[in-house]
Amino acid sequence: EDADNAAQGVTSRHFRLTRGTGGDLVGPFEEVDGRLTRSPYIRSVLAALGGVVGNVALMSLEPSGLVDAHFDTNEYWDARVRVHIPVWTNKKVVFSCGQRGEMHKLRMRVGKAYLFDNHLGHSVSNKGKSPRIHLAVDMVGSRRF
């Protein structure tokens, strides 16, 4: 999976908790090797979000790492959003999102949930000395969510 990401210019590493049974980002989704079963706290976070969960991963961006600006526009994203929940970060991790010339820069805080329009350009840089680790949850919305 990391090789597929590298081919797309993504330098973050993904520890998948679920995977698509029809391939990368193709549902239905199933648990990987009992990882959610052994993670009651992550299961409680997913339940609290209140939507239909798809892809779930812990995503790490190493020091000096960069995820180049990109858009998530394939068919998978038509009905889904990605929620980012920082688990470990540092003050030199900067997330940028928006239209050209109107990029917003954000330093995400540990334990908070962030939702953004991933159809707009977005990128991440880690100029700190420690990795950035996020719980990334792809969801289909619901009334509760």
Side-chain angles (χ1 to χ4, degrees):
E1 291 167 295
D2 284 332
D4 292 337
N5 290 327
Q8 297 172 35
V10 177
T11 60
S12 61
R13 299 173 61 65
H14 297 68
F15 181 75
R16 302 263 185 210
L17 302 173
T18 63
R19 70 172 154 239
T21 59
D24 189 37
L25 301 183
V26 179
F29 290 84
E30 65 185 4
E31 181 178 2
V32 176
D33 301 329
R35 292 174 181 169
L36 286 174
T37 299
R38 294 189 311 269
S39 305
Y41 181 73
I42 291 176
R43 286 196 325 268
S44 72
V45 169
L46 298 177
L49 290 173
V52 177
V53 173
N55 180 52
V56 179
L58 289 166
M59 300 170 72
S60 174
L61 184 62
E62 296 301 314
S64 301
L66 173 68
V67 176
D68 288 328
H70 64 284
F71 306 85
D72 297 329
T73 58
N74 66 30
E75 186 177 301
Y76 173 81
W77 295 108
D78 288 348
R80 291 178 179 84
V81 295
R82 175 165 285 168
V83 177
H84 278 261
I85 303 171
V87 175
W88 185 270
T89 192
N90 65 69
K91 292 179 181 180
K92 294 189 176 183
V93 173
V94 177
F95 180 86
S96 300
C97 180
Q99 298 179 28
R100 286 182 197 238
E102 298 179 7
M103 295 296 276
H104 299 279
K105 295 188 183 294
L106 177 66
R107 287 177 171 79
M108 296 182 180
R109 294 175 39 204
V110 169
K112 302 288 184 182
Y114 295 85
L115 180 66
F116 67 96
D117 185 349
N118 58 333
H119 291 96
L120 297 175
H122 54 282
S123 64
V124 185
S125 67
N126 181 1
K127 295 182 180 177
K129 294 182 180 181
S130 62
R132 177 217 77 166
I133 301 171
H134 281 195
L135 176 63
V137 183
D138 298 348
M139 301 184 65
V140 175
S142 69
R143 190 173 295 241
R144 183 170 160 232
F145 175 67

